[in-house]
């Protein structure tokens, strides 16, 4: 398969390097990734803004844009001269569970892929213990999850619904979200629902920038992530040492129109 690889941690990050190495053993890999960290950029598209694209090697590019920009650039402009069969975004350094998928640049890239007619797979890994050092490469077993993606790419791609293969059935586009704890091996692969991720204790701190207090610097002080689970959620599966796979709608859907006939509005 011809696989486009991107991420939101930036070109050269540990997770994307492990993914490129593993996928290259079986597939033709093409890379376009941001030139720096773009975590939390969700599905941001740089409409009307110029992007800088720089060649980083054979079939490797870096972009000044976001993860969604990277996919958009590769699909709207034939950067590599081949038909891309799948887009894999990640491996993200940190989880993208439940409601975090709204904010995730990793998921934004996979979402853009299916909207552009290409299967999109977002892949993320988290540390199993908060006491483990975040910046110690030895704590991150990206290779084990990258191997899983390599060995199951065709199956993961088949779980997506793209703008090309689902529209005749009026089915909304679907991308795949893969999460796991940082383990050498996994006990099982399971399909999961999304948990609700509540950021307990998050605070916004305003730091004055002048004596008149008319300008401030806004700083986010992160609290603790707490998961509220709906059934056997993505979080619970990862906690149990499994690989979680969630199929997520890429398109907004309206709530049902049932039982709304009695509601009236003034004009």
């Amino acid at each position: 398969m011809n696989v486009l690889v991107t991420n939101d941690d930036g070109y050269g990050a540990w997770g994307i390097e492990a993914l490129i190495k593993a996928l290259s053993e079986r597939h033709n890999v093409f890379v376009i990734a941001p030139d720096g960290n773009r975590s939390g950029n969700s599905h941001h598209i740089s409409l009307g803004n110029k992007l800088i694209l720089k060649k980083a090697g054979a079939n490797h590019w870096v972009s000044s844009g976001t993860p969604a920009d990277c996919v958009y650039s590769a699909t709207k402009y034939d950067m590599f001269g081949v038909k891309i069969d799948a887009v894999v975004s990640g491996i993200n350094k940190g989880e993208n569970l439940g409601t975090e998928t709204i904010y995730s640049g990793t998921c934004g890239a996979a979402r853009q892929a299916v909207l552009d007619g290409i299967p999109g797979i977002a892949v993320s890994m988290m540390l199993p213990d908060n006491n483990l050092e975040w910046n110690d490469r030895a704590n991150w077993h990206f290779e084990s999850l990258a191997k899983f993606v390599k060995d199951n790419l065709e199956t993961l791609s088949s779980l997506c619904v793209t703008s090309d293969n689902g529209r005749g059935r009026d089915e909304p586009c679907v991308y795949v979200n893969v999460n796991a704890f940082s383990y050498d091996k996994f006990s099982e692969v399971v399909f999961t629902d999304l948990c609700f991720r509540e950021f307990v204790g998050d605070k916004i701190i305003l730091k004055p920038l002048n004596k008149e207090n008319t300008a401030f610097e806004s700083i986010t002080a992160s609290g603790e992530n707490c998961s509220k689970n709906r059934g056997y959620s993505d979080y619970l599966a990862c906690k149990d040492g499994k690989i979680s796979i969630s199929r997520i709608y890429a398109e907004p859907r309206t709530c049902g129109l049932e039982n709304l006939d009695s509601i009236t509005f003034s004009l």
Side-chain angles (χ1 to χ4, degrees):
M1 297 175 68
N2 294 323
V3 187
L4 179 69
V5 175
T6 189
N7 71 347
D8 75 0
D9 288 334
Y11 184 83
W14 296 334
I16 196 172
E17 289 297 306
L19 194 57
I20 292 168
K21 182 177 179 181
L23 288 173
S24 296
E25 295 175 6
R26 182 173 292 183
H27 305 284
N28 303 315
V29 175
F30 305 87
V31 180
I32 176 169
D35 58 12
N37 193 299
R38 301 290 190 275
S39 296
N41 267 258
S42 187
H43 203 131
H44 177 89
I45 295 286
S46 302
L47 294 174
N49 297 324
K50 294 181 180 179
L51 298 178
I52 305 300
L53 301 174
K54 295 183 179 179
K55 199 165 181 60
N59 294 324
H60 282 222
W61 291 81
V62 294
S63 168
S64 62
T66 66
D69 281 328
C70 290
V71 175
Y72 202 71
S73 296
T75 56
K76 300 304 180 184
Y77 177 78
D78 188 11
M79 294 186 65
F80 302 105
V82 299
K83 179 184 180 295
I84 298 297
D85 299 308
V87 172
V88 183
S89 179
I91 300 171
N92 191 62
K93 186 183 180 187
E95 67 270 29
N96 281 304
L97 299 168
T99 39
E100 290 171 334
T101 60
I102 299 170
Y103 317 110
S104 166
T106 305
C107 292
R111 188 184 301 114
Q112 182 61 48
V114 295
L115 295 177
D116 284 337
I118 305 170
I121 300 119
V123 189
S124 303
M125 174 171 276
M126 72 200 88
L127 292 178
D129 187 339
N130 289 333
N131 294 319
L132 291 173
E133 173 54 45
W134 180 266
N135 291 317
D136 186 349
R137 178 65 176 88
N139 291 329
W140 294 95
H141 302 293
F142 291 115
E143 291 76 14
S144 57
L145 194 53
K147 181 181 183 300
F148 167 79
V149 175
K150 174 198 70 174
D151 292 341
N152 297 278
L153 185 58
E154 292 86 352
T155 301
L156 292 169
S157 297
S158 73
L159 295 171
C160 297
V161 177
T162 74
S163 59
D164 287 343
N165 69 14
R167 308 300 285 187
R169 302 187 302 276
D170 195 30
E171 186 177 351
C173 292
V174 172
Y175 71 92
V176 170
N177 191 37
V178 179
N179 279 273
F181 274 133
S182 180
Y183 294 136
D184 279 331
K185 56 181 65 176
F186 306 100
S187 61
E188 193 178 354
V189 183
V190 292
F191 290 104
T192 59
D193 200 347
L194 300 180
C195 66
F196 182 88
R197 295 286 271 179
E198 186 175 9
F199 301 92
V200 178
D202 274 13
K203 295 180 180 179
I204 299 295
I205 300 171
L206 296 182
K207 178 181 177 182
L209 294 177
N210 57 26
K211 294 181 180 180
E212 295 79 17
N213 285 342
T214 57
F216 296 85
E217 180 180 67
S218 175
I219 304 170
T220 302
S222 297
E224 180 183 358
N225 281 356
C226 296
S227 298
K228 296 180 179 179
N229 302 294
R230 304 180 181 100
Y232 194 63
S233 71
D234 46 6
Y235 172 75
L236 291 177
C238 293
K239 188 178 179 181
D240 289 342
K242 302 174 183 179
I243 294 176
S244 163
I245 298 179
S246 301
R247 300 178 70 235
I248 304 175
Y249 287 128
E251 301 174 61
R253 303 203 72 186
T254 58
C255 293
L257 301 179
E258 305 85 13
N259 304 317
L260 298 180
D261 292 342
S262 61
I263 297 175
T264 59
F265 298 92
S266 298
L267 292 175

